[in-house]
Amino acid sequence: MSNSAFGEESSLEQAKKVMTKFVQRQVFAESKDEVAVVLFGTGGTRNALASGDQYQNITVHRSLMLPDFDLLEDIQDTIKPGSEQADFLDAIIVCMDLLQNETLGKKYEKRHIELFTDLSSPVSEDQLEIIIANLKKTGISIQFFLPFPGDVDDGGGDTSASERSQMHRNSFPKKALTEQQKEGIHVVRKLMHTLDEEGGLEEIYTFRESLERLSMFKKIERRPMAWPCQLTIGSNLSIRIVAYKSVTEEKVKKIWTVVDAKTLRKDDVQKETVYCLNDDDETEVQKDDTIQGFRYGSDIVPFSKEDEEQMKYKTEAKCFSVLGFSRSSQIQRHYYMGNQVLKVFAAKDDENAAVAFSALVHALDELKVVAIVRYAYDRRCNPQVGVAFPYIKDAYECLIYVQLPYMEDLRQYLFSSLKNNKKCIPTADQLSAVDSLIDSMNLVCEDDDGETFEDLFKPSKIPNPHFQRLYQCLQHKAFHPNEPLPPIEQHILEMLEMPRVVKERCQAPLEKVKALFPLREVGKKKEEKTAQDIFKDNSEDGPKPKKLKIEDEEGSFSIMKLAEGNVTSVGSVNPGEDFRILVRQKNADFKDVSQQLINRIDQFLENKGSRYYMKGINCIRVFREEAIKLSKVQCFNDFLQALKSKVEDKALADFWEIVIQDRISLITKDEAEGSLVTSEEAEKFLAPKEKKNETLPPTDEGGDVDDLVSTIKT
């Protein structure tokens, strides 16, 4: 297999690529299938059948065991071209013997041989009939992988296999086969056709075709875990059921861990957590002297582990209890939530349960109703409320359970209606164009009777691109730890692209939509000037005439405006917006409202952490903007000067650094007429002082939400 034309990859290298892809899929899928490797054509001999001149130059390189990275390394580095030749039929016999001996006493579903060869070695048909008989007797299946199509020398044979080979034939080099290879193909075809007259020849693959098929990493195999329970309706009716997870989000099982960068050993790194007080000495606190707390606004409510255990909902046992029934039309599709879908069946080997369960499923289906269910996985879990709807197929019938939301899970938003705005009403041509676009992008092909005959985009057949890329990178780093990661493979990029047929089909409707919905650039609205602005008195003496307040200078719509009437104080969730609303209300006391905002800023600085610092910075910006608009310049300048003194006393230099970076300084006379501060003085105000050689205590980057209300609105 080491022979190849100039500039071409040898058959052995192609075979190693296919083997690598196959083993990779098994490793990352955490498959329980065991793999052995038998090499033929080796310089030495190591197999249980070797004696005299029989079964020579055949080596059992690896016995049956789970595939791992060691096997991948062997394929990459250890397997080299040999100088000897061996009969591939002898190699099949050695493989059959290995499978027979090493599977004794083991449970298995099937035994399989995959043979990679370029058929360049001499082959003897003396034992072909015996091999075929033993393969059938033991139930061992076999596949051949060749560097060329299996029917390259023969126009007859299986039609579907010929068509498949023809699809790949143009990509193979135009190289004539040797007489030995032609004889080998004849033996392979005879073997496969005898084993299976109908589909045997379809089990002959080319290396290139196999690489395409194995380019996707195999999904992780999960054994179904049964969840037995009692379906109860009221206090008198109980049906034994068993449920299985049908849909659930798959997550990467491999957990990232920290290892020593040189030895790559986890045991060489020890992690130690130390609790310290937030003081100058960073006084250490023992873990037993700490207690967890729940942040409620600006306060911390102590909550011990014992309190948490007592708080947990206690249920007697797992349950699947029907609370009542509802019309299926009442359950909106957007109410489905949770991270799993359960398929519920009647318990096995229970005829009474099967009859009762079937009656329930068919009754729900005929009446077009669903069951509202209380579901608890076990006594330690909080109960859920969900919907169970009937699902009837030719092969089975079951209930499909999906979780429903509680009141807190629903998000209610108010938006203005498009129907009331004449500018938003589409014309008949526009509606027709969008209809045509939707029809052209239909991912399901239907015949004249409306029956689906082809689905162009099946999400159930599309692997997760994140997993594919992760496995690609992990495999690369395992063999090339010092090299950069490879580029994303093209098939991963194309995985979620629009199907080519749909892309071509929708071009004309897209052009029509583009023409009927023209886009034009909208310039920024000029601020309208009032007569008061034009003929204003430039004199600094006397009170400044009030400007007409503009509700929103940018003309943007804010959901918070809907709640303006309910804002009575500056809260901790959105203090800046609360401040804006309050100072614009009639009879508002700017000094009182600004003091509320200052109190919130002080709370944020007490909590520390970048998250709270940024909320404080936002409050200061809003305070400054509103002070300029409402001619309350001195109020802001006094606050900022007091804040500067405060941060110096409380060692909040990191917060003040953000103020300096954002250039938030005193309001100058150039910005507002009521100010006496010059631009030079404002610059000097932000000038940093000489730093003393002292260590600042670390800030806490953690922390929970600052207000219980925010956990609902976030």
Side-chain angles (χ1 to χ4, degrees):
M1 288 178 69
S2 59
N3 299 325
S4 62
F6 178 76
E8 294 179 7
E9 207 169 30
S10 69
S11 299
L12 178 63
E13 291 302 318
Q14 293 181 53
K16 285 169 65 174
K17 280 187 176 181
V18 177
M19 291 171 65
T20 300
K21 287 285 187 183
F22 171 76
V23 175
Q24 282 175 4
R25 284 164 57 91
Q26 299 298 101
V27 169
F28 288 116
E30 301 172 16
S31 173
K32 300 302 181 184
D33 296 344
E34 295 184 355
V35 177
V37 177
V38 176
L39 306 176
F40 59 98
T42 57
T45 300
R46 189 172 73 249
N47 66 78
L49 300 179
S51 63
D53 60 348
Q54 298 292 313
Y55 306 105
Q56 296 300 302
N57 305 115
I58 300 174
T59 301
V60 177
H61 181 75
R62 177 181 166 114
S63 298
L64 273 180
M65 61 181 69
L66 292 176
D68 52 24
F69 276 102
D70 291 338
L71 177 55
L72 285 170
E73 287 181 333
D74 279 352
I75 295 172
Q76 294 283 332
D77 304 326
T78 307
I79 298 179
K80 303 290 183 183
S83 56
E84 303 295 331
Q85 292 185 330
D87 189 337
F88 71 81
L89 292 179
D90 286 347
I92 291 176
I93 295 173
V94 172
C95 291
M96 292 168 61
D97 178 71
L98 183 146
L99 285 173
Q100 286 284 82
N101 293 329
E102 296 197 7
T103 56
L104 287 175
K106 291 183 179 180
K107 291 183 179 180
Y108 56 86
E109 291 183 6
K110 65 176 181 179
R111 295 178 295 184
H112 184 69
I113 298 172
E114 294 183 349
L115 193 130
F116 300 83
T117 178
D118 63 354
L119 303 177
S120 295
S121 302
V123 59
S124 172
E125 297 186 48
D126 295 343
Q127 301 189 76
L128 183 59
E129 297 300 327
I130 299 174
I131 291 173
I132 293 172
N134 278 281
L135 285 172
K136 288 182 176 180
K137 180 181 178 180
T138 57
I140 297 175
S141 57
I142 188 169
Q143 289 176 324
F144 279 87
F145 296 85
L146 311 175
F148 38 75
D151 59 347
V152 72
D153 70 325
D154 187 1
D158 184 74
T159 306
S160 59
S162 299
E163 289 176 353
R164 191 188 70 210
S165 298
Q166 186 65 37
M167 291 171 61
H168 295 269
R169 187 168 305 188
N170 293 335
S171 61
F172 287 92
K174 302 296 184 183
K175 181 183 174 183
L177 299 184
T178 64
E179 291 300 320
Q180 182 61 61
Q181 287 176 321
K182 291 180 180 179
E183 182 184 352
I185 285 181
H186 173 73
V187 174
V188 169
R189 289 174 61 83
K190 183 178 179 180
L191 169 64
M192 299 306 292
H193 184 71
T194 307
L195 284 173
D196 185 353
E197 293 184 3
E198 293 183 0
L201 298 183
E202 292 186 2
E203 298 301 315
I204 304 173
Y205 300 93
T206 65
F207 292 155
R208 201 161 301 179
E209 177 188 4
S210 303
L211 281 174
E212 292 176 7
R213 293 190 174 200
L214 294 171
S215 60
M216 298 292 186
F217 287 98
K218 190 178 179 182
K219 75 174 184 178
I220 297 175
E221 296 176 352
R222 301 292 188 200
R223 294 185 62 185
M225 296 292 293
W227 181 75
C229 193
Q230 295 281 343
L231 185 156
T232 59
I233 304 176
S235 56
N236 298 323
L237 180 57
S238 178
I239 304 173
R240 288 182 60 218
I241 59 168
V242 60
Y244 299 90
K245 284 185 180 180
S246 174
V247 179
T248 187
E249 182 184 0
E250 185 65 70
K251 295 183 179 179
V252 180
K253 190 175 180 181
K254 304 295 183 185
I255 301 174
W256 298 105
T257 186
V258 178
V259 298
D260 185 84
K262 294 181 180 178
T263 63
L264 301 181
R265 288 169 52 88
K266 181 181 178 181
D267 297 338
D268 293 345
V269 178
Q270 292 185 350
K271 182 180 179 181
E272 184 177 353
T273 303
V274 178
Y275 298 90
C276 299
L277 293 177
N278 189 17
D279 56 14
D280 293 338
D281 299 329
E282 295 185 354
T283 308
E284 185 174 341
V285 179
Q286 297 300 318
K287 186 177 180 180
D288 295 339
D289 296 330
T290 65
I291 188 174
Q292 65 181 5
F294 184 85
R295 187 178 296 282
Y296 189 87
S298 59
D299 299 322
I300 301 293
V301 179
F303 216 81
S304 66
K305 291 289 185 183
E306 291 76 13
D307 295 331
E308 191 174 4
E309 284 299 320
Q310 292 180 16
M311 178 191 69
K312 286 182 179 178
Y313 185 89
K314 300 294 190 300
T315 183
E316 293 181 0
K318 56 186 176 182
C319 78
F320 197 83
S321 177
V322 176
L323 303 178
F325 299 95
S326 174
R327 290 194 300 272
S328 56
S329 58
Q330 293 292 106
I331 309 300
Q332 303 296 324
R333 178 64 187 85
H334 59 273
Y335 284 169
Y336 295 175
M337 62 172 293
N339 59 0
Q340 66 178 7
V341 176
L342 298 180
K343 280 188 175 180
V344 184
F345 301 87
K348 292 182 178 179
D349 304 325
D350 190 333
E351 185 177 347
N352 293 330
V355 172
F357 187 81
S358 178
L360 174 64
V361 171
H362 283 272
L364 293 175
D365 183 60
E366 291 172 9
L367 297 173
K368 291 183 170 51
V369 298
V370 295
I372 305 301
V373 177
R374 179 180 185 269
Y375 163 76
Y377 180 74
D378 60 24
R379 63 183 183 84
R380 299 165 298 175
C381 297
N382 290 327
Q384 300 175 1
V385 173
V387 57
F389 52 87
Y391 189 68
I392 300 174
K393 303 290 285 186
D394 293 336
Y396 64 92
E397 54 193 31
C398 66
L399 291 175
I400 302 289
Y401 169 82
V402 183
Q403 184 183 348
L404 292 176
Y406 288 114
M407 177 185 70
E408 292 84 356
D409 300 322
L410 294 172
R411 300 289 186 268
Q412 301 291 349
Y413 299 113
L414 297 176
F415 297 99
S416 58
S417 172
L418 295 176
K419 293 182 179 179
N420 298 332
N421 190 341
K422 293 182 179 180
K423 294 181 180 178
C424 298
I425 299 176
T427 64
D429 290 341
Q430 289 175 326
L431 287 173
S432 175
V434 174
D435 286 343
S436 300
L437 177 63
I438 293 173
D439 291 339
S440 69
M441 296 184 70
N442 190 0
L443 295 172
V444 178
C445 295
E446 299 177 346
D447 54 23
D448 296 336
D449 298 331
E451 294 185 3
T452 302
F453 65 87
E454 185 181 7
D455 192 345
L456 299 176
F457 196 83
K458 289 185 177 180
S460 60
K461 302 296 182 183
I462 300 174
N464 190 328
H466 167 65
F467 290 169
Q468 299 294 311
R469 175 61 173 162
L470 175 63
Y471 296 154
Q472 178 199 5
C473 294
L474 287 176
Q475 184 267 333
H476 179 83
K477 275 294 182 182
F479 300 126
H480 313 286
N482 299 321
E483 294 183 11
L485 293 176
I488 301 177
E489 294 182 354
Q490 189 61 31
H491 70 269
I492 297 179
L493 295 174
E494 294 174 353
M495 204 177 296
L496 298 178
E497 288 288 333
M498 183 188 298
R500 189 178 302 170
V501 178
V502 177
K503 184 179 281 188
E504 294 172 355
R505 202 167 55 199
C506 72
Q507 290 305 312
L510 273 174
E511 290 298 324
K512 189 174 181 181
V513 169
K514 187 177 179 181
L516 290 172
F517 293 88
L519 297 176
R520 62 178 185 277
E521 188 175 350
V522 180
K524 193 174 180 181
K525 252 186 181 179
K526 292 184 178 180
E527 185 179 347
E528 295 182 4
K529 289 189 176 182
T530 64
Q532 192 176 28
D533 294 326
I534 298 171
F535 301 107
K536 65 181 178 180
D537 186 1
N538 292 326
S539 171
E540 292 186 6
D541 300 331
K544 180 180 175 183
K546 290 187 178 180
K547 286 185 179 180
L548 179 65
K549 287 194 290 185
I550 301 172
E551 188 63 28
D552 192 339
E553 290 185 351
E554 296 180 359
S556 61
F557 175 77
S558 171
I559 294 296
M560 293 301 295
K561 287 184 179 182
L562 298 174
E564 283 187 12
N566 299 326
V567 177
T568 58
S569 62
V570 176
S572 60
V573 178
N574 212 332
E577 194 65 31
D578 293 346
F579 179 75
R580 287 187 196 275
I581 294 170
L582 289 172
V583 296
R584 295 180 187 183
Q585 291 179 354
K586 291 181 179 180
N587 304 321
D589 186 340
F590 187 88
K591 187 174 181 181
D592 177 58
V593 178
S594 62
Q595 187 58 50
Q596 294 181 38
L597 184 68
I598 292 170
N599 293 339
R600 288 299 177 193
I601 295 172
D602 290 341
Q603 288 180 4
F604 296 147
L605 297 184
E606 288 293 334
N607 290 331
K608 295 189 177 180
S610 59
R611 179 179 178 180
Y612 297 102
Y613 284 172
M614 296 315 297
K615 292 191 80 169
I617 291 294
N618 182 59
C619 290
I620 296 172
R621 284 202 191 97
V622 173
F623 191 1
R624 194 177 193 278
E625 292 170 7
E626 296 301 321
I628 294 174
K629 291 177 184 176
L630 302 175
S631 303
K632 300 294 183 180
V633 176
Q634 195 57 43
C635 185
F636 174 80
N637 285 350
D638 292 343
F639 154 73
L640 199 60
Q641 288 172 340
L643 179 64
K644 184 177 181 181
S645 302
K646 188 182 296 183
V647 296
E648 291 174 355
D649 295 340
K650 295 192 175 184
L652 295 168
D654 46 352
F655 170 76
W656 192 250
E657 194 67 34
I658 301 174
V659 176
I660 295 173
Q661 290 175 3
D662 289 2
R663 311 304 298 168
I664 303 175
S665 185
L666 301 171
I667 300 173
T668 65
K669 59 174 65 177
D670 296 334
E671 296 175 284
E673 296 179 0
S675 175
L676 301 176
V677 180
T678 63
S679 300
E680 291 77 12
E681 290 172 338
E683 284 294 327
K684 187 177 179 181
F685 180 77
L686 292 178
K689 290 186 176 182
E690 293 184 4
K691 293 183 180 179
K692 297 179 181 179
N693 294 327
E694 59 180 13
T695 304
L696 297 176
T699 59
D700 181 15
E701 294 293 334
D704 207 336
V705 289
D706 51 41
D707 197 328
L708 183 62
V709 181
S710 67
T711 62
I712 300 175
K713 291 188 177 181
T714 302

